[in-house]
Amino acid sequence: ASADEAYAMDDGTLRRFLVAKKGNVDDAFVALQKFAQWRKETHPEAITEEEVKNEVATGKAYLHGFDRAQRPVVYVFAGRHSKDDRDIEEITKF
């Protein structure tokens, strides 16, 4: 698969951005472009648990399993996030 195929957006992703931007196509497009650029720069699929071990240790998120497309389903509990005790690079990866 080419790099472009690896970062292709499915209908669900496009729909989430449209909903988040209340149907405003221009705003959704800009947000989606930023998201795609972030994915290309960050490579979230390559982040290991070791790289975010402190965030994992907080219990703020857990892997619940996989959806029908075999993508991980992760529950995140924002209330367990401490803005005072964090490594900004690690939290960005997390």
Side-chain angles (χ1 to χ4, degrees):
S2 73
D4 288 339
E5 290 172 354
Y7 295 107
M9 302 295 165
D10 62 10
D11 289 346
T13 300
L14 301 174
R15 188 176 305 112
R16 281 190 294 277
F17 277 85
L18 277 171
V19 168
K21 298 300 179 181
K22 296 180 172 55
N24 184 311
V25 175
D26 292 335
D27 288 352
F29 181 71
V30 169
L32 191 58
Q33 283 182 311
K34 288 179 181 179
F35 173 68
Q37 185 63 36
W38 174 83
R39 284 187 56 123
K40 285 182 179 183
E41 292 171 359
T42 308
H43 301 283
E45 72 283 354
I47 295 170
T48 66
E49 185 174 338
E50 181 63 26
E51 291 178 276
V52 292
K53 64 183 175 188
N54 295 323
E55 293 300 321
V56 170
T58 65
K60 72 173 76 172
Y62 74 94
L63 179 64
H64 184 67
F66 297 88
D67 67 8
R68 291 182 182 146
Q70 295 307 304
R71 296 173 297 209
V73 175
V74 178
Y75 285 111
V76 179
F77 301 97
R80 295 181 184 168
H81 175 71
S82 171
K83 65 182 176 75
D84 299 322
D85 182 30
R86 65 175 185 193
D87 174 337
I88 193 67
E89 191 172 317
E90 184 175 343
I91 189 68
T92 301
K93 285 182 180 182
F94 186 69

